[in-house]
Amino acid sequence: MDTNTNEKVHCLIIGSGPAGYTAAIYASRAGLNPVLYQGIQPGGQLTITTEVENYPGYPEGIQGPEMMVHFENQAKRMGADIRYGLATKVDFSAQPYKVEIDEEKWIEADAVIISTGASAKWLGLESEQRLNGYGVSACAVCDGFFFKGKEVAIVGAGDTAAEEALYLSKICSQVHMVVRKGEMRASKVMQERVLKTANIKVYWHSVTDEVLGDKKVEAVRLKNVETGEKTEIPVSAFFVAIGHQPNSDIFKGWLDMDEAGYLKTVPGSSKTNIEGVFAAGDVQDKIYRQAVTAAGSGCMAALDTERYLSEKGLH
């Protein structure tokens, strides 16, 4: 592996979003002179979200992209060096650690904070992407409130889909749940709860043929995979709950992960299995996946990094 170093930094943060920017704010205030590379999606998943109403401090709500600009500007004001660039390879074999940026430049760092996030899995429909943020969402907890009292659809069959369907059933008039097979993958108790909920209707052996609507979601067209029959259901929102993919591929072989690829951290901390490498946000959190919890874990990672560097006599 050619790892000729082009630059040496004290604290390197990989990835932006609430976790990365919060880590940068705290690391800057601690005098760690952090360098943050924003990754392929500067600002993370919130940049494809429209209204954010559940983040404290914004009583009127705020647009996701605007909120991430605020995060970035605050990190810059504290002194963080924010850069465009994507981490493409790592070498954690010895300290200082090495991270390749854009397949062309190697950075050496005394400590690394990983906040590369996760990406929602999508069905791959053109209409799904076109209406993303206009009724199509991958987070019912984030966006369900905007469709209070309305009919919505959700696709998925695992525990997350079941949990989100139940969540939506409490605020929406009717939840249409689309399941590809004749059974769910969700745990038995979650399946029972879904099936016992009066305003959740499950469409078995069904797939999404198309999300309908010009400028916002107006209906969803389903296809029965056994009969080929197509059905149109008027809905105001379409939620995709078929899972998330943590952006952790470049750390395979270096860091401990679970079977889905989420980075494992020591409980109650941001520490990975490699000393001096920390993880925050959705790349290590498959349970909550909220902006506020990501920001909290970014704070933890920066504090853990400061303590680590102090113990090593590097700060």
Side-chain angles (χ1 to χ4, degrees):
M1 186 182 292
D2 178 18
T3 55
N4 291 325
T5 306
N6 298 105
E7 186 179 0
K8 172 73 163 58
V9 304
H10 199 37
C11 171
L12 179 65
I13 301 171
I14 308 172
S16 44
Y21 287 140
T22 302
I25 290 166
Y26 273 79
S28 296
R29 285 173 56 83
L32 303 185
N33 302 315
V35 171
L36 181 151
Y37 278 94
Q38 293 177 307
I40 200 166
Q41 188 178 17
Q45 293 183 77
L46 280 179
T47 58
I48 57 170
T49 303
T50 48
E51 193 80 12
V52 177
E53 286 197 333
N54 55 4
Y55 197 92
Y58 293 97
E60 304 302 320
I62 186 170
Q63 295 290 307
E66 182 185 3
M67 182 180 176
M68 285 300 92
V69 169
H70 290 180
F71 271 64
E72 180 181 355
N73 288 341
Q74 187 173 356
K76 284 179 177 175
R77 189 172 73 83
M78 295 300 163
D81 184 350
I82 310 291
R83 305 176 182 178
Y84 291 110
L86 175 68
T88 44
K89 197 181 294 181
V90 299
D91 180 359
F92 292 159
S93 59
Q95 296 170 308
Y97 301 122
K98 295 181 176 67
V99 177
E100 184 189 54
I101 303 297
D102 295 330
E103 298 183 341
E104 59 184 28
K105 174 181 180 179
W106 285 92
I107 304 271
E108 251 185 21
D110 294 321
V112 178
I113 296 174
I114 297 166
S115 54
T116 47
S119 301
K121 294 179 181 177
W122 298 98
L123 298 173
L125 301 172
E126 179 279 328
S127 55
E128 171 191 53
Q129 295 305 311
R130 178 171 52 82
L131 294 169
N132 192 347
Y134 299 93
V136 171
S137 168
C139 182
V141 176
C142 310
D143 300 324
F145 176 81
F146 300 113
F147 305 98
K148 191 173 183 180
K150 297 182 179 180
E151 292 197 31
V152 300
I154 183 168
V155 58
D159 276 336
T160 298
E163 286 174 11
E164 296 206 337
L166 289 164
Y167 172 83
L168 291 168
S169 73
K170 295 179 175 68
I171 55 178
C172 300
S173 61
Q174 180 76 43
V175 179
H176 302 276
M177 188 173 186
V178 186
V179 178
R180 177 184 287 271
K181 297 182 179 179
E183 59 183 8
M184 295 185 200
R185 288 181 291 102
S187 58
K188 190 172 182 180
V189 65
M190 292 303 294
Q191 293 188 49
E192 289 175 353
R193 287 178 188 169
V194 166
L195 297 175
K196 286 180 180 177
T197 303
N199 64 336
I200 298 179
K201 182 177 180 180
V202 180
Y203 296 78
W204 304 105
H205 303 290
S206 297
V207 295
T208 307
D209 187 62
E210 203 68 74
V211 184
L212 305 174
D214 182 17
K215 294 184 178 179
K216 64 178 182 178
V217 173
E218 296 173 359
V220 61
R221 185 167 66 230
L222 306 183
K223 179 181 178 181
N224 186 295
V225 295
E226 292 192 328
T227 66
E229 181 184 358
K230 294 184 179 180
T231 308
E232 284 189 17
I233 306 166
V235 292
S236 298
F238 179 73
F239 294 93
V240 181
I242 57 175
H244 285 73
Q245 180 66 44
N247 301 320
S248 62
D249 283 353
I250 64 169
F251 310 112
K252 285 179 179 174
W254 298 107
L255 300 180
D256 290 345
M257 308 178 180
D258 67 10
E259 64 282 353
Y262 287 91
L263 299 183
K264 291 183 178 180
T265 51
V266 175
S269 81
S270 63
K271 299 175 183 177
T272 68
N273 58 294
I274 294 183
E275 185 183 47
V277 178
F278 307 90
D282 286 13
V283 74
Q284 56 83 49
D285 173 21
K286 63 179 177 183
I287 299 173
Y288 301 105
R289 295 197 301 262
Q290 299 298 303
V292 69
T293 51
S297 69
C299 164
M300 290 168 60
L303 296 177
D304 286 342
T305 300
E306 181 186 8
R307 292 190 188 112
Y308 164 76
L309 292 171
S310 293
E311 288 167 4
K312 289 291 180 182
L314 296 168
H315 176 55

